[in-house]
Each structure stands twice: as structure tokens, then as C-alpha cells.
Amino acid sequence: KAGVTQTPRYLIKTRGQQVTLSCSPISGHRSVSWYQQTPGQGLQFLFEYFSETQRNKGNFPGRFSGRQFSNSRSEMNVSTLELGDSALYLCASSLVVSGGEEDTQYFGPGTRLTVL
Amino acid sequence: KQEVTQIPAALSVPEGENLVLNCSFTDSAIYNLQWFRQDPGKGLTSLLLIQSSQREQTSGRLNASLDKSSGRSTLYIAASQPGDSATYLCAAPSTGGGNKLTFGTGTQLKVEL
């Protein structure tokens, strides 16, 4: 079974531009979560989508948005890029079993975004 | 608000040594806890998930324990190898349900020949 895939793997943008990152979850997984990882802040939760609905949201400005499609694939968008948005963006998927106890989250390889 | 702490921040051991990594969390109303491994510049690899009803979970040379009452989890690595060198992260679900995970800052492990 294929793992979580993220595209593109590397991206270089300039301040003020916008960017869209894509995540394809493991087949059959319905939940997709996004995280930002930086050396200073570590791993921080951005948002989670389940059945095309945002189920959880972290403390990020409105410039960060996302969506999920009917096939569970997800995209996140960052508008008006700032230097501080340079980070590794990780996507995770999980099956979502009733109760959540068994929900192992599987992460993709990430997209390395550099903002110049 | 869930907070997760990991100690030590870094650890260097000789090959073959058994070692313990520690993780503590503030909100004990969790339904599971996960341990991950991250190699430099890579994504996270899931190592073990411990459900709240379990006290231990084992996979090969790895054993993770969970004590909700004390807000602690440990990851035990037996007979460490150079290939175990990586950053180990624990993550606990945040209050409010869903799959929002709060991560510790990790333990950077180096296993030397």
C-alpha cells in the first residue's frame, strides 16, 4: 500500500507570493492533518480535515488555509508569503476508527518551502 | 491545553547500550500516545502507538510504556545500533478530540560505533 505522498518536495518562493501544497493520503484514510516544522518552534499543528470538513484548527493566521476533496486528497494554501513561513510542511493521514484510540497517524516526506 | 516535554534533548551512547527516552504530558485525558522517529530533513516515521487502555506496546527492539496517571511515557530501545541515530518525538492528542497532535521537542539520539 502506498504511503502518504506530498508534492512538490521542494519549493522556493519570494515574499508576497502564494503557494499551494498537495497531500495524497494512504488509500482509505479519511483524515488529513497538516503541520509546520521549524527549528525554532518545532512541530506545530495547522489544521485537520475529515470528510471534506475542517475538524480542527491550530493558531495560525488566516493566510494559511486548506481544503479536502471527495477522494480525501488535501491541499493547503499560504497567501502573501513571509520569510517566517520558510519551513518543512508535513501532512499526515489516519484511518479514523471509532473512538480514535487506534488512529495511528502516518506522515508524508514533507514539502520544504523556502521564502526569499 | 496539552503540553508535551521530552528529556533529554540529546543523547549520545555507544553501540549496544540499552536506553530510555522520556516524555511527559500535562493533560492526562488522552486516548493514545504516539512515538515517532525523524531522520534529518525527512518526514516522521511512526514507531509505536499506545492506546489509553494499554500500558505497554512493543515492536522489535522498541518498547513504549504509558502511565496516564503520572502523565508520562517512556520509549525503551534495546541493544542500540548506529542506524537508530535519529530524533525521537512523542505526540499526544490535544484536548477537544480529532487528530490534533501536540509534539514534544524531541530527543536527538546518536549511537556511536
Side-chain angles (χ1 to χ4, degrees):
Chain A
K1 194 182 254 190
V4 178
T5 58
Q6 292 186 246
T7 57
R9 294 292 312 280
Y10 303 91
L11 209 48
I12 300 176
K13 293 286 188 178
T14 56
R15 278 182 300 175
Q17 287 187 310
Q18 76 163 20
V19 67
T20 299
L21 311 182
S22 180
C23 172
S24 292
I26 293 171
S27 177
H29 284 195
R30 298 185 295 165
S31 167
V32 174
S33 300
W34 289 89
Y35 293 83
Q36 181 196 66
Q37 186 176 33
T38 60
Q41 299 296 318
L43 273 153
Q44 293 186 290
F45 174 81
L46 281 156
F47 27 66
E48 179 202 1
Y49 286 88
F50 174 70
S51 293
E52 301 179 66
T53 301
Q54 188 179 83
R55 185 158 76 163
N56 274 302
K57 188 176 188 306
N59 295 323
F60 279 82
R63 300 185 297 106
F64 291 82
S65 63
R67 59 178 175 168
Q68 186 180 34
F69 302 96
S70 58
N71 62 358
S72 293
R73 190 177 70 85
S74 177
E75 289 181 346
M76 67 163 281
N77 184 277
V78 188
S79 63
T80 318
L81 284 165
E82 300 177 359
L83 295 178
D85 296 333
S86 294
L88 181 66
Y89 290 87
L90 293 162
C91 159
S93 78
S94 67
L95 184 60
V96 183
V97 178
S98 175
E101 280 206 346
E102 300 171 38
D103 279 345
T104 298
Q105 290 205 43
Y106 297 92
F107 281 76
T111 294
R112 172 75 61 185
L113 172 64
T114 302
V115 182
L116 302 176
Chain B
K1 178 189 169 189
Q2 182 71 275
E3 293 180 8
V4 178
T5 305
Q6 290 187 248
I7 53 172
L11 187 60
S12 182
V13 300
E15 182 180 13
E17 193 159 298
N18 301 325
L19 55 102
V20 175
L21 308 181
N22 296 291
C23 171
S24 60
F25 46 93
T26 55
D27 184 353
S28 61
I30 59 173
Y31 47 85
N32 62 31
L33 184 137
Q34 268 190 268
W35 281 92
F36 295 89
R37 165 188 173 137
Q38 186 174 33
D39 293 286
K42 307 287 186 182
L44 276 62
T45 299
S46 177
L47 296 173
L48 289 164
L49 176 140
I50 315 173
Q51 298 175 35
S52 61
S53 55
Q54 300 172 324
R55 296 185 73 89
E56 285 190 6
Q57 191 68 256
T58 299
S59 176
R61 295 182 294 107
L62 305 179
N63 176 278
S65 67
L66 176 63
D67 184 345
K68 286 180 58 177
S69 62
S70 66
R72 299 167 73 91
S73 176
T74 61
L75 179 67
Y76 174 84
I77 303 177
S80 58
Q81 303 171 357
D84 295 331
S85 298
T87 297
Y88 290 79
L89 296 144
C90 73
S94 294
T95 317
N99 279 326
K100 178 180 178 180
L101 293 178
T102 298
F103 282 84
T105 49
T107 294
Q108 191 172 12
L109 172 66
K110 183 175 181 181
V111 181
E112 299 173 317
L113 289 167

